[in-house]
Amino acid sequence: RSKSKGKDTFSFFSKDLQHAMHHRVEMEIKLRQAIENNSLAIYLQPKYDFNNKEITGAESLVRIVEENGNVIGPDEFIPLAEETGLIHQLGRQVLQKSCEFIARCNNEHQDVKVAVNVAAKQLANPGFADEVAEIIRSTGIEASSLELEVTESALMHDFEQTRDILIALTSLGITIALDDFGTGYSSLSYLRQFPLHVLKIDRSFVIDMDKEQQAHDIVTAIVHLALSLGLTIVAEGIETQSHFNSLKALGCHLGQGYFMCRPLAMNDFFIQFISNEEVV
Ligand code: C2E
Ligand code: MG
Ligand code: MG
Ligand code: MG
């Protein structure tokens, strides 16, 4: 009796685990296929200037679009890509496609600045700056059209090497943004020790700023800090008119969020904001 009970218990947990493993294997297959077929999809979310509400650029956000049209978001496969090392190929493809998009906009005589997210492991690759330089060269874009978003945790790894890579990137003319500011193991010394141009206030502070005085105070402090350091401030996750008004009043430069526009598939972004062609 007790033996069979133990067996049932074992098989109960085993099924759960099997399901999780199966899901992971499936996701890894989808990810590998998307990378191999060069079919990772780039979505773009516009960044707006608080003062004139004009679009100054966009953030590049990767997705996997399945044949049935199902869209898989990055939170479902970026951690897996980092664990398996696929992040290097994924990152290169996202950069390549993002720079090709900039070139396509330039062909329409439109300047657009595109910000690409970079994972910690990519920054830890000593060849990363050369790889980026080669993509800029081959697509023929200006380095100043490209921004790279790094997180605080990416800066924590190998201080010397990370700084060298960021210096190499900035000397090409690329802009560096510190993403999700305030959520990692924040150290204000990062702001002095690394060449950074942009500070992105994390969505979690923005969401609470109208409800909680404390969140509002933190955003105020971050904005003052960034302004005094001469950094450009981008607020992410703006979902309401009230968020927009508060952040504008505080002196944030740029903002992005569902209130203004959701991330759009690259072609939709192009049609909506770039192409001058008349729609017949
Ligand atoms: P992130 O870089 O902080 O990007 C902002 C995320 O917030 C995006 O989620 C965006 O769709 C979402 N967002 C924008 N406005 C709003 C809003 O008003 N409300 C809410 N609730 N969300 C908003 P997404 O596209 O799912 O990306 C999630 C994360 O995945 C990104 O966070 C970034 O860390 C990572 N990621 C995305 N693309 C790449 C990539 O190409 N490479 C790497 N290494 N990471 C990427
Ligand atoms: Mg980002
Ligand atoms: Mg962010
Ligand atoms: Mg975020």
Side-chain angles (χ1 to χ4, degrees):
R1 285 287 115 121
S2 70
K3 198 178 166 195
S4 81
K5 192 181 174 192
K7 199 177 162 209
D8 285 351
T9 310
F10 176 73
S11 83
F12 170 76
F13 282 113
S14 167
K15 269 204 179 112
D16 238 22
L17 190 62
Q18 259 178 19
H19 182 79
M21 283 168 71
H22 181 72
H23 182 75
R24 193 193 142 97
V25 170
E26 294 274 284
M27 190 57 74
E28 188 173 336
I29 290 170
K30 286 174 189 173
L31 178 59
R32 279 187 194 279
Q33 272 174 353
I35 291 172
E36 267 167 40
N37 300 339
N38 195 33
S39 69
L40 286 172
I42 306 297
Y43 277 56
L44 294 163
Q45 185 179 38
K47 296 188 188 186
Y48 293 81
D49 186 319
F50 275 106
N51 285 316
N52 55 21
K53 293 188 182 172
E54 276 178 17
I55 294 174
T56 61
E59 177 172 8
S60 173
L61 297 159
V62 68
R63 275 118 181 74
I64 295 174
V65 180
E66 298 186 276
E67 266 168 34
N68 63 10
N70 180 40
V71 179
I72 305 174
D75 289 335
E76 291 208 49
F77 58 84
I78 292 287
L80 184 63
E82 297 199 72
E83 283 167 39
T84 54
L86 287 167
I87 193 71
H88 297 287
Q89 286 163 271
L90 178 151
R92 195 178 314 120
Q93 195 173 123
V94 169
L95 260 170
Q96 177 76 33
K97 289 185 171 185
S98 300
C99 291
E100 283 169 3
F101 179 78
I102 296 169
R104 189 176 161 203
C105 295
N106 293 345
N107 281 338
E108 301 284 327
H109 308 288
Q110 298 270 353
D111 279 334
V112 62
K113 187 155 186 149
V114 175
V116 177
N117 291 286
V118 173
K121 273 200 176 171
Q122 288 177 274
L123 267 195
N125 166 15
F128 182 65
D130 287 340
E131 188 180 300
V132 176
E134 173 52 24
I135 292 173
I136 288 172
R137 193 202 58 75
S138 67
T139 52
I141 65 163
E142 300 284 339
S144 58
S145 303
L146 182 64
E147 184 162 297
L148 297 179
E149 297 192 0
V150 304
T151 58
E152 290 163 311
S153 54
L155 300 182
M156 289 194 340
H157 287 290
D158 181 335
F159 174 79
E160 293 287 331
Q161 187 185 306
T162 307
R163 195 175 60 171
D164 286 350
I165 287 185
L166 290 183
I167 289 171
L169 291 166
T170 50
S171 58
L172 293 171
I174 293 169
T175 308
I176 308 292
L178 188 52
D179 204 356
D180 303 342
F181 185 74
T183 58
Y185 293 91
S186 301
S187 161
L188 296 180
S189 63
Y190 293 149
L191 300 177
R192 288 200 309 129
Q193 292 170 327
F194 293 99
L196 302 169
H197 309 94
V198 177
L199 201 148
K200 295 192 77 177
I201 302 176
D202 192 65
R203 199 171 80 209
S204 56
F205 299 115
V206 173
I207 280 173
D208 291 336
M209 70 183 292
D210 292 337
K211 292 177 295 196
E212 289 173 25
Q213 186 60 36
Q214 206 181 28
H216 191 278
D217 291 345
I218 290 173
V219 174
T220 306
I222 294 174
V223 171
H224 287 169
L225 177 71
L227 286 176
S228 67
L229 291 169
L231 300 169
T232 297
I233 309 158
V234 180
E236 62 176 28
I238 300 169
E239 293 190 352
T240 64
Q241 178 77 60
S242 160
H243 293 156
F244 185 95
N245 294 345
S246 303
L247 291 160
K248 181 181 174 172
L250 284 177
C252 282
H253 301 110
L254 307 178
Q256 57 185 113
Y258 294 171
F259 174 64
M260 291 88 96
C261 189
R262 289 194 173 241
L264 300 171
M266 186 182 266
N267 271 329
D268 293 334
F269 186 99
F270 188 81
I271 291 165
Q272 203 163 322
F273 299 119
I274 304 295
S275 174
N276 292 316
E277 282 164 38
E278 294 285 320
V279 181
V280 185

